[in-house]
Amino acid sequence: MARVVVDVVMKPEILDPQGQAILNALGRLGVAGVSSVRQGKHFELEVDDSVDDGTLAHVADTLLANPVIEDFTIRR
Amino acid sequence: MARVVVDVVMKPEILDPQGQAILNALGRLGVAGVSSVRQGKHFELEVDDSVDDGTLAHVADTLLANPVIEDFTIRR
Amino acid sequence: MTFPGSLDDRDALRAVRLAGAEPVPLWHGEKWLSDVQAVVLPGGFSYGDYLRCGAIARFSPAMESIIDGANKGMPVLGICNGFQVLCEAHLLPGALIRNDHRKFVCRDQRLRIENVDTPWTSLYRPGEEILIPLKNGEGGYVADHRTLDELEGEGRVVARYLGDNPNGSYRDIAGISNKAGNVVGLMPHPEHAIEDLTGPSTDGLTFFASVLTSLVGQA
Amino acid sequence: MSEYVVDTIEAAAADPDAEQPFKQLGLAPEEYQRIKDILGRRPTGSELAMYSVMWSEHCSYKSSKVHLRQFGDKVPAAAKDILLVGMGENAGVVDVGQGLAVTFKIESHNHPSYVEPHQGAATGVGGIVRDILTMGARPVAVMDALRFGPADAPDTARVLPGVVAGVGGYGNCLGLPNIGGELSFDRSYLGNPLVNALCVGVLPADGIKLAKADGPGSHVVLFGARTGGDGIGGASVLASASFEAEGERKRPAVQVGDPFAEKVLIECCLEIFGADLVTGIQDLGAAGLSCATTELAAAGTGGMDVDLDRAPLRDETLVPEEILMSESQERMMAVVAPDKLEAFMAICAKWEVTATVIGTVTDTGRLVMRWHGETIVDVPPRTLAHEGPVYERPIRRPYDQDALNGEHGNGLPRPKNGEQLRATALKLVGSPNLADKSWVTDQYDRYVLGNTVLAQPEDSGMIRLVEAADGGRQLGIALAVDGNGRYTRLDPYAGAQLALAEAYRNVATTGARPLAVTNCLNFGSPEDPAVMWQFAEAVRGLADGCQQLGIPVTGGNVSFYNQTGTTAILPTPVIGVLGVIDDVERRTSQAFVGDGAQLYLLGDTADEFGGSEWADVAHGFLGGRPPKVDLAREQLLADILINASRDGLIDAAHDLSDGGLFQAVAESCLRGDAGVRLIVPEGIDPFVFLFAESAGRAVVAVPRSEEVRFTDMCTARGLPAQRIGVLDILESAIEVQGQFRIPLSELRVAWSRTLPELFG
Ligand SMILES: Nc1ncnc2c1ncn2[C@@H]1O[C@H](COP(=O)(O)OP(=O)(O)O)[C@@H](O)[C@H]1O
Ligand SMILES: [Mg+2]
């Protein structure tokens, strides 16, 4: 049994309204020095050792991320 | 300039309907061996070196996460 | 077609009925076999819109039949959540993301119908302006520039928002079609503009009347 | 670290004097003693948990019960025929004809919404929708009455957007149109916002479901979401009493709603009801399993055996005390006859709803629960569900009440000329309480289900119940919710009646006949005699008012302890009125349309500014007396409005309330995008004419062709109707002759920019 983390982020060319809103809020809060914020998704899966990397990639590629607009990384 | 990653996850005792829905979907897709899924948020910030850890923690605690229901981790 | 969490399914049935066709309720769990001639994927929050809108519904058994039918030319209309499902299923290009103002928005929206060559829009006049409800939280249409150029170049933008862009959709896109034109996705809700009593207009009925006419014409 | 040891009946007998944390659980020493007397021994930990939640203020209504009885005692004779289910069940049910019944109720979720606005409000909507579903009804619409601190307070910027997103997020995801509500601001709600949610549902008149466990041998089925450690703040003392220093046992501070789970639960239940598969059903809300099991058992054959360890858990570390107190959302409990269980389970499987048989109905008169074979609960269920403590709390008129009423504010400077009146008009329409609410309501789906005939900003929300083709009559219902904390502070008896009158008037204005009432009573601490006086007066006012108007109270909810420190909120009864309309095609909108239509002001206008918007906005002043209540006049006005609607005598109607005539005319003009020319009638001060808040009034637009018929009707019935102007589509302005003129474009900006500027 292991914990697998999948992080999904919008492709850089797609506008990220949520990240943009956070960036604006930082300005209002008076926090200086942050030049960009992107918001993505973070998944934590409890996975049996029998599940191989191929299966995980498949899950990330078809379900957890939408490859049309998103990229993902898997950490095992 | 450095990339800082903040991951925000629901506290373990709080219901995570999205994670649950994904887990059920995995079952229907015939993916075996995943026993739990939790969905959180993933932030990537471009941060000036002048921004210290205290500031980052403050940002995470007040803006990126809702500390009533979520925990966060910061990776610099 | 009803997925768990579909909401405007009854309204789609009503719209089909008022257009004079016979509505048939379909259930996501069944690879549908009945001989329907066109399908509406309704609005709503299938699977709660969890993960991404439409991301889970697109794996429903019935979607296999839909994809199959769509590839063979059957008219398919995805409204709102249905549009999201069609994008997730790659029957339509691009994706729909959270509104740029990050709030759900429900309002009466003016649109321009730009493509009247689809079975769903054939009875509109080219460039006709209509008023129908819009209600969504994740209605921002996005795609890469190449795709957008292609959509515009091939005349596949079915409808565009007029006035303020309500959700940040690229190039004010409200609806698109596939290459063949039989599959159409639309963010606003024509099925809620079919009666004076309940809608802002009856402009939406033409979508359903169009498809009926197209099908009758074929037969 | 000591192991948790489950407390059993045997253990309770063996160790009768064990100390128990009843105080931490909120039980008074006398209450604890009464439990011992009932059981003839000390309660087990599980029993103590159950009594503590069932005898809490929230579940037992121990401070309010003696007052609420009036609603039942004063049910108007005429209303008895339509009242299919009265107070006491999950929600009241009224007969609306054509074989249909309607159930509706309003409930508060104030405290959770302050802690976590989004989830607090969301679960508030979820809870009230389950109440309606439980009656056997399909929920068809929701409404929300919201109150916050000052609009420009920093904490309001935290709470309001979250609450609105929560109400919208949950309701939209359930596919329930939001057809109206309230939004207002006052300093007293800063540390204690009010989030009251209403749901209305429709069912066949012979399809009512009740919360009773009938028929020994029937199965008790728990279905829906799994049970987690939600909302069990209190129970943790029970668990920790034996857990000592274990730090691992984290329990959620707030509950997260799962609207998708609720949506499938609704569809699943409706399919089950349609197939007639349950004998009784109960939703799990406050007090969760404790409440559901005891109420079902108490109302039915009388007994129930439950194997608590069969309840599906989200968190396996939960102990029985916690399972019994858990308030996890999206759960239901059904009583199912043995021969129907298979069909029941099949429908649950279709909707992927987890369903588990956890017990059986018995005729022993005892509710018995086991945990891994050991008996942990053995109680007479009625003693929890119906025979809780009842208090006659001390009542005292607030010491400052006379002073408050005496400071009538007649000396406050008033606008004196056209220019000053114009400035006042613009300032009022843009004040947060009167400004355009679309920033809020645009986040709510009002179209879904395709039966919304009227929604915000109309005076009432209206839903079509029966679709008819080709001009057939389409039966519908209308609903409005209203409350006014300032009026109620000045005079709680009158304030409650004014809220009732306003909701009643709002329903009639759209053409529907008022039929029944629900209410949510938001007050401070019942232990404060001054608050208790406000409460008692408000209840008496409401009960008397309903009796006089001939419409029964069918249900509601009491929310006490709304205070910041020891300072209570303004006493805020929120009243919902349900009306019925034979044909929704005949409805009346507030939008001014129809060029040349004559404007009539119905009712009497007096120099009444106590508790008014003007006094608040212009002077921050609260004092004097609220507007006079005349319920006979309200009835007459309602009659005229309903008849005029039905007979097509009017093009538009809008009731007058906060902000007075100018506000109503402004809203109707902006809605219809039409200008008007107003004439201040002889003998009335223009300021009073434009801004007084006298009750029992409405403004109507009468087409010239119907003018004689309409005025004849008013004259014959004795309702004052004064011609005050004319609709002028080309003008695109409100012109008050001899005083001022405001172009609609300027008015629209002043009215609509306030909330977006505040909340983004
Ligand atoms: N929180 C809310 N949710 C839904 N509708 C609302 C809300 N607040 C106000 N509204 C709607 O906005 C309109 C104006 O509200 P209000 O001025 O309080 O009406 P009235 O004075 O007729 O009671 C009404 O249609 C009301 O239902
Ligand atoms: Mg009104």
Side-chain angles (χ1 to χ4, degrees), chain D residues 186-530:
Chain D
D186 183 272
R187 173 150 300 284
S188 77
Y189 307 116
L190 182 56
N192 195 309
L194 301 185
V195 176
N196 294 178
L198 179 149
C199 181
V200 56
V202 183
L203 65 160
D206 59 4
I208 297 171
K209 298 281 178 276
L210 295 176
K212 59 179 169 62
D214 266 346
S218 281
H219 299 288
V220 177
V221 187
L222 180 61
F223 64 119
R226 293 169 168 267
T227 300
D230 306 285
I232 49 173
S236 56
V237 303
L238 282 167
S240 63
S242 22
F243 261 87
E244 308 279 301
E246 194 190 338
E248 281 303 284
R249 303 175 41 76
K250 290 239 180 70
R251 295 295 175 242
V254 295
Q255 304 189 42
V256 169
D258 182 350
F260 172 64
E262 179 124 325
K263 170 65 182 170
V264 287
L265 195 56
I266 291 172
E267 298 303 332
C268 175
C269 281
L270 289 171
E271 197 170 329
I272 286 167
F273 297 155
D276 195 19
L277 299 178
V278 300
T279 331
I281 185 150
Q282 173 69 303
D283 63 307
L284 275 72
L289 272 167
S290 298
C291 184
T293 51
T294 55
E295 287 193 350
L296 281 169
T301 315
M304 189 184 285
D305 277 357
V306 172
D307 286 315
L308 197 59
D309 44 15
R310 288 205 212 151
L313 301 181
R314 189 174 91 227
D315 173 352
E316 294 297 334
T317 70
L318 292 179
V319 300
E321 287 89 339
E322 294 174 312
I323 296 170
L324 285 165
M325 286 174 108
S326 163
E327 295 185 352
S328 288
Q329 305 284 308
E330 294 102 17
R331 297 179 298 162
M332 301 282 276
M333 182 172 280
V335 176
V336 184
D339 59 333
K340 298 194 165 165
L341 187 67
E342 198 183 322
F344 180 98
M345 291 300 195
I347 293 176
C348 290
K350 169 181 168 193
W351 288 98
E352 299 185 41
V353 167
T354 308
T356 315
V357 174
I358 65 162
T360 324
V361 177
T362 69
D363 54 10
T364 60
R366 310 286 294 184
L367 169 62
V368 177
M369 295 197 192
R370 271 177 294 272
W371 180 257
H372 299 302
E374 294 191 276
T375 305
I376 55 169
V377 170
D378 184 351
V379 294
R382 282 196 64 83
T383 64
L384 288 113
H386 303 307
E387 290 156 9
V390 176
Y391 294 128
E392 295 253 9
R393 301 273 191 196
I395 286 176
R396 199 197 60 235
R397 198 160 189 272
Y399 68 90
D400 65 351
Q401 194 71 31
D402 289 337
L404 191 67
N405 292 143
E407 295 246 8
H408 43 63
N410 289 355
L412 297 174
R414 296 177 170 192
K416 284 189 208 57
N417 53 37
E419 197 184 327
Q420 291 178 4
L421 286 167
R422 186 181 198 276
T424 302
L426 283 171
K427 186 166 181 186
L428 277 174
V429 293
S431 67
N433 283 346
L434 299 181
D436 180 11
K437 311 288 193 303
S438 339
W439 187 90
V440 171
T441 56
D442 281 0
Q443 296 186 50
Y444 303 153
D445 184 348
R446 58 181 177 275
Y447 282 111
V448 68
L449 296 181
N451 288 316
T452 307
V453 178
L454 295 175
Q456 51 272 10
E458 295 289 347
D459 284 312
S460 65
M462 189 177 286
I463 295 285
R464 169 175 64 184
L465 300 187
V466 177
E467 253 179 88
D470 308 324
R473 285 199 298 161
Q474 313 196 66
L475 180 71
I477 50 170
L479 277 152
V481 288
D482 284 291
N484 188 315
R486 289 198 306 263
Y487 291 169
T488 312
R489 175 72 174 91
L490 295 179
D491 182 343
Y493 183 88
Q497 294 198 338
L498 284 164
L500 170 68
E502 188 180 345
Y504 179 90
R505 201 186 317 131
N506 272 322
V507 164
T509 303
T510 55
R513 186 165 43 83
L515 206 63
V517 177
T518 184
N519 68 99
C520 188
L521 304 172
N522 306 276
F523 286 78
S525 164
E527 294 158 46
D528 176 346

Side-chain angles (χ1 to χ4, degrees), chain D residues 511 581-583 585-588 639-651 702-703 705-707 709-710 713 717:
Chain D
I581 179 165
D582 295 336
D583 186 359
E585 289 281 0
R586 291 276 160 201
R587 83 232 177 256
T588 302
D639 257 4
I640 297 279
L641 288 167
I642 296 162
N643 289 343
S645 232
R646 190 198 50 217
D647 298 343
L649 302 184
I650 51 180
D651 285 340
V702 185
S705 56
E706 305 298 338
E707 201 174 349
R709 268 174 80 196
F710 181 76
M713 174 168 76
R717 301 287 308 270

Side-chain angles (χ1 to χ4, degrees), chain D residues 41-115:
Chain D
R41 56 172 166 78
R42 77 158 171 88
T44 63
S46 297
E47 290 167 340
L48 188 61
M50 293 175 75
Y51 277 100
S52 75
V53 287
M54 291 304 291
W55 286 9
S56 69
E57 185 65 57
H58 185 75
C59 292
S60 73
Y61 287 84
K62 56 190 169 192
S63 302
S64 53
K65 222 175 200 164
V66 293
H67 301 283
L68 299 182
R69 275 187 196 130
Q70 295 171 67
F71 294 146
D73 297 344
K74 295 180 185 170
V75 168
K80 286 190 172 127
D81 310 336
I82 59 142
L83 196 57
L84 301 178
V85 174
M87 292 202 336
E89 282 290 334
N90 284 297
V93 183
V94 290
D95 192 337
V96 295
Q98 300 190 18
L100 293 177
V102 168
T103 176
F104 72 125
K105 189 179 170 190
I106 185 165
E107 202 164 72
S108 68
H109 226 216
N110 304 337
H111 300 283
S113 301
Y114 180 64
V115 178

Side-chain angles (χ1 to χ4, degrees), chain D residues 560-718:
Chain D
F560 278 133
Y561 299 102
N562 292 289
Q563 57 198 36
T564 310
T566 54
T567 310
I569 57 162
L570 290 176
T572 314
V574 173
I575 314 297
V577 169
L578 169 79
V580 59
I581 179 165
D582 295 336
D583 186 359
V584 290
E585 289 281 0
R586 291 276 160 201
R587 83 232 177 256
T588 302
S589 156
Q590 66 176 219
F592 280 168
V593 288
D595 199 20
Q598 302 293 307
L599 294 191
Y600 276 84
L601 171 61
L602 310 181
D604 288 309
T605 305
D607 188 335
E608 294 180 296
F609 286 92
S612 66
E613 272 317 315
W614 172 76
D616 186 54
V617 171
H619 299 287
F621 177 82
L622 177 61
R625 297 211 162 270
K628 189 165 68 73
V629 182
D630 181 349
L631 295 175
R633 170 57 64 79
E634 298 286 356
Q635 274 180 307
L636 174 57
L637 175 67
D639 257 4
I640 297 279
L641 288 167
I642 296 162
N643 289 343
S645 232
R646 190 198 50 217
D647 298 343
L649 302 184
I650 51 180
D651 285 340
H654 193 2
D655 90 301
L656 269 54
S657 56
D658 324 18
L661 175 75
F662 184 83
Q663 180 68 23
V665 169
E667 289 170 358
S668 289
C669 286
L670 291 172
R671 182 116 171 102
D673 213 4
V676 297
R677 269 176 286 131
L678 294 181
I679 310 138
V680 182
E682 284 293 310
I684 183 163
D685 173 62
F687 168 73
V688 172
F689 172 67
L690 292 173
F691 303 112
E693 294 189 1
S694 300
R697 298 185 302 160
V699 58
V700 293
V702 185
R704 282 196 192 272
S705 56
E706 305 298 338
E707 201 174 349
V708 175
R709 268 174 80 196
F710 181 76
T711 49
D712 281 355
M713 174 168 76
C714 293
T715 312
R717 301 287 308 270

